[in-house]
Amino acid sequence: MLLISAIALAAFMSALDGSIVNIALPTISEGFDISTGLVSWVSTIYLLVVTSSLLICGKLADIKGLKKIFLLGFVIFTLGSFLCGFLPGALNSFASLLGARVVQAIGGAMIAAIAPAMVSVFIPAEERGRSMGLVVTFASLGAAAGPFLGGLLTEFLSWHWIFFINVPVGIAAVALGARVIPNHQPGSGRSAGFDAPGAALLFAGMMTGVFALNMGTAMGFTSPLILLAGAVALTCAGLFIYHERRAEDPLLDLSLFTNRNFLYANLAVTLIMIAFAGSAFLLPFFLEYVKGLETFSAGMVMTAFSFAMMIGGPVAGSLFNRVGGRRLTLAGATLAALSFVILAGLHPDSPVIMVAGALGLLGFAIGLYVAPNNTMVMNTVRPEKRGMVSSLLNTERYGGQSLGIVLFELVLIQAVLSIVSHAEVTTESLASVTIDQKLAVLSAGFDMAFWAGAALAVLALGLSFLVREEEVPAEIEEETPAVAG
């Protein structure tokens, strides 16, 4: 149980840090007297570095061992957290905060990259479903607690404490991990060395690609900088694939994708992450602009998703061995599609409880889907490749979030423009357009975005239907000692 606690704590901290910072950005902006666009880089730079580093960290774990990378990641993350809280005040420098966030992100990537691998390598096969469900639950708890805890610390102490709070937790995690994580090096004797050219191409491609997606909406996707970033990302992607197919010990083993179950399961979870992230981005705007809720009230409604996801994870874990991962993913994708259909049917007069119910259903569906899918993916690969695959799953999660936000925002904007151009309101003077008409147009735009989410969930359902459960042969599993949780 202590081993699972260490892994769950890593998932909690990773999710917490992803959600605790945003609530403090207005205060940081005022403290340094900078624009909202500039202060947003406190979050953006963390996302860029984590997404770009995950696969590299996973490969390092396969070479150096899960325990070494996990503990080193927590040390770097804890040091980065302290620097984030200390340096900006000591130096009166916003740039120092961004630099410290880069350090923190490197540690965060090392932690996040290998949590699923640690479950699949160190936990017996019959306990993996339940353990992965517990990890998802703690990740959901971290995401839910972030805004509340961040607001509390910022208001009653200072924004610096949203980073300082990580320090004692990080120290405790290192002490616990050093004691309970087995000493094992899954890649021992099998590695031809670290694929430095592949790592450089991957980092450059991911960094420029995520930058283009994140900043494209604000700067315009036809702006020279965004076009250049997109061109660099595509070029690096092509060179990366070319190099990895010929590398003796590649950073990402592309041959894994020849396994139909591995390919379909990864595609499906990426689609689910895109739909989830896009809807999570738009829903606060729907609640505030269409439903007219205050920010705090909208935030309370949004917690229905996180708490329902915390229920879905353990339910999936407890049922995994009895009904199998495939049935759980099919059920999760079906419920996700249903929740999007309900969201697409909302209008300005819909009761708030209906919105909360749809959010709760979506959260439960995501919790029901992610842990079994990840377990099935990890079960298809040999132990010495699980660090790589674990980091791949997290790359799909972070990359899916970036793509989901951009995609859903574009759908909303295009839907509203299309509706307005074909509506009678365009023939009337602006002063004569009623509030109800404006709300109806905006609500219809949100409906189209949620229908897009339903379509993605249906596609994920179809892919999940094609996946068949498989496991690495027992004699290969026995090469890696499992430890009871």
Side-chain angles (χ1 to χ4, degrees), residues 21-32:
V21 173
N22 289 346
I23 196 73
L25 291 183
T27 305
I28 296 174
S29 175
E30 293 175 7
F32 286 103

Side-chain angles (χ1 to χ4, degrees), residues 196-413:
L201 287 170
L202 176 69
F203 188 84
M206 292 294 295
M207 181 72 79
T208 52
V210 175
F211 173 83
L213 287 174
N214 278 350
M215 303 303 295
T217 304
M219 300 177 64
F221 284 99
T222 58
S223 68
L225 182 59
I226 297 303
L227 290 174
L228 176 62
V232 171
L234 290 174
T235 301
C236 287
L239 291 174
F240 176 76
I241 293 172
Y242 177 83
H243 171 77
E244 294 300 285
R245 290 171 64 90
R246 289 157 179 78
E248 185 178 352
D249 188 18
L251 192 70
L252 177 60
D253 187 355
L254 298 177
S255 67
L256 292 172
F257 292 97
T258 61
N259 181 326
R260 187 188 69 173
N261 295 323
F262 182 88
L263 174 63
Y264 292 162
N266 278 279
L267 286 175
V269 77
T270 301
L271 292 174
I272 288 290
M273 286 296 102
I274 291 173
F276 149 65
S279 60
F281 171 73
L282 288 187
L283 277 163
F285 295 96
F286 176 84
L287 291 169
E288 293 184 37
Y289 294 165
V290 176
K291 295 300 298 174
L293 298 183
E294 297 294 331
T295 302
F296 178 77
S297 299
M300 291 299 293
V301 174
M302 290 295 295
T303 61
F305 175 89
S306 297
F307 285 113
M309 190 173 175
M310 289 168 56
I311 297 171
V315 169
S318 64
L319 293 176
F320 186 89
N321 289 329
R322 278 187 279 172
V323 304
R326 181 172 180 268
R327 291 181 180 178
L328 290 171
T329 57
L330 292 174
T334 301
L335 292 177
L338 177 61
S339 66
F340 279 115
V341 171
I342 296 173
L343 288 171
L346 297 176
H347 49 78
D349 295 327
S350 298
V352 174
I353 190 67
M354 186 176 178
V355 183
L359 271 173
L361 182 62
L362 179 59
F364 182 80
I366 299 297
L368 200 64
Y369 186 92
V370 173
N373 184 84
N374 287 0
T375 302
M376 289 194 298
V377 170
M378 298 302 297
N379 283 346
T380 64
V381 298
R382 295 174 60 98
E384 69 270 15
K385 294 186 182 294
R386 285 178 180 164
M388 175 198 300
V389 175
S390 174
S391 61
L392 175 64
L393 288 169
N394 279 284
T395 301
E396 291 164 352
R397 177 164 68 92
Y398 281 98
Q401 289 176 2
S402 298
L403 185 56
I405 291 172
V406 172
L407 177 63
F408 274 58
E409 185 176 13
L410 286 176
V411 171
L412 173 64
I413 293 172

